[in-house]
Amino acid sequence: MIVRLATQADLPAMTDVLIGASPLDPVYPYRFPDRHLYPDEFAALCQRKCAEYLETSTVVVCEMPVNAYTSTTKVVAFSAWDMPTVAQPPPPRRRSAVEPTSPTSPTFPTAPTTIGNLTRQSAFRAALAEHKASLFDARYRPDGGHVFLKILLCHPSFQRRGAGTALAEWGVEQAQRFGVYTTVFASPMGLRLYQRLGFREVGRFRVQLEGEGEFLEIPALALGPGLGAGMREARGEGLGACGRRVSEGFGWREVCA
């Protein structure tokens, strides 16, 4: 397993992860109930969202072997983080001038503005912004900020192999380094993982349009500085295994025990 900072070249793989994992996260079926009717348009939307993560956030990817019979690896999971005010932001990344191709079309078409439920999408974005400001920013920014996990997804074919844990621990380690909280709005898929790492619920909110029975229940979780220390040691996992990449600030180095 290799955990590293993402580059623009990872955009196609990140898009594949987002497309593959989205049906398992209730957020996407809620916002895009008709995505299966427009697969190419949804793929184009996912691609642009991943490009946005690369442009505005610190993106970390996890590579794993394609199968048990080869050493060839592929990106199977990614996470996007907003770093605290005390951290030195990474250099801005430029968007690629060439869009990668879709498996089902020569190029990704422009996604129509009508794909998905626009009212739900707007309500979802507004709720996240409001509660991030009240539950996280208001509490932790006066003390230097917090490391905020915007998204963490693993392709279904590679789940339950440690990729999600490795990516979550990357962010926790950065937060410990800066002495700030790690925060996340958890999905049902990730809730148990974050709780296992020591996160505690600090709030909860619902996204629901008036007159609709469908809704999203979203817990807000936080992990205090110092509370995540020794996670690997407690499980007997060393940081010095050959081929494991270990963070040094926003850079990386190879280590061997």
Side-chain angles (χ1 to χ4, degrees):
M1 179 189 298
I2 298 174
V3 175
R4 61 171 174 81
L5 292 177
T7 69
Q8 192 68 36
D10 295 312
L11 179 58
M14 291 170 55
T15 302
D16 288 342
V17 170
L18 178 52
I19 294 171
S22 60
L24 304 179
D25 186 341
V27 164
Y28 291 92
Y30 179 79
R31 293 187 298 159
F32 305 100
D34 55 353
R35 67 197 183 285
H36 61 287
L37 300 176
Y38 308 97
D40 284 352
E41 288 81 358
F42 183 67
L45 186 147
C46 289
Q47 182 210 38
R48 277 192 291 277
K49 191 62 182 178
C50 289
E52 178 185 321
Y53 291 138
L54 287 168
E55 185 77 17
T56 62
S57 302
T58 299
V59 180
V60 183
V61 298
C62 179
E63 293 183 37
M64 283 188 171
V66 175
N67 55 55
Y69 308 102
T70 179
S71 59
T72 302
T73 63
K74 64 179 293 186
V75 170
V76 302
F78 75 89
S79 56
W81 304 82
D82 284 347
M83 289 296 155
T85 54
V86 296
Q88 193 72 12
R93 300 179 177 88
R94 295 182 179 179
R95 295 183 185 273
S96 173
V98 180
E99 291 188 344
T101 58
S102 164
T104 57
S105 63
T107 58
F108 279 131
T110 301
T113 57
T114 54
I115 186 171
N117 187 311
L118 298 184
T119 307
R120 288 181 179 180
Q121 292 176 45
S122 178
F124 175 79
R125 288 192 297 267
L128 255 62
E130 175 188 350
H131 290 92
K132 180 177 181 292
S134 62
L135 296 175
F136 296 150
D137 296 342
R139 297 181 183 184
Y140 308 129
R141 275 189 177 170
D143 296 325
H146 55 100
V147 172
F148 175 62
L149 176 54
K150 296 174 72 172
I151 188 171
L152 191 159
L153 291 174
C154 181
H155 194 278
S157 299
F158 292 86
Q159 290 179 357
R160 301 186 183 278
R161 300 188 190 181
T165 298
L167 291 175
E169 287 182 341
W170 184 92
V172 171
E173 288 169 359
Q174 296 301 315
Q176 303 303 323
R177 178 173 177 267
F178 292 109
V180 299
Y181 277 77
T182 316
T183 57
V184 61
F185 290 126
S187 68
M189 297 185 301
L191 182 58
R192 186 174 299 179
L193 164 63
Y194 304 131
Q195 290 175 334
R196 177 163 53 83
L197 294 179
F199 284 77
R200 296 291 180 266
E201 187 172 322
V202 297
R204 183 178 289 259
F205 62 95
R206 175 175 290 195
V207 180
Q208 184 175 23
L209 298 181
E210 185 176 355
E212 287 193 353
E214 290 186 71
F215 62 89
L216 294 173
E217 189 83 13
I218 302 178
L221 305 180
L223 177 65
L227 297 181
M231 289 183 299
R232 297 182 190 274
E233 290 79 359
R235 294 200 306 272
E237 297 180 12
L239 289 177
C242 280
R244 181 74 168 90
R245 292 190 176 183
V246 181
S247 62
E248 287 187 332
F250 291 105
W252 297 86
R253 63 182 176 87
E254 294 284 352
V255 296
C256 290

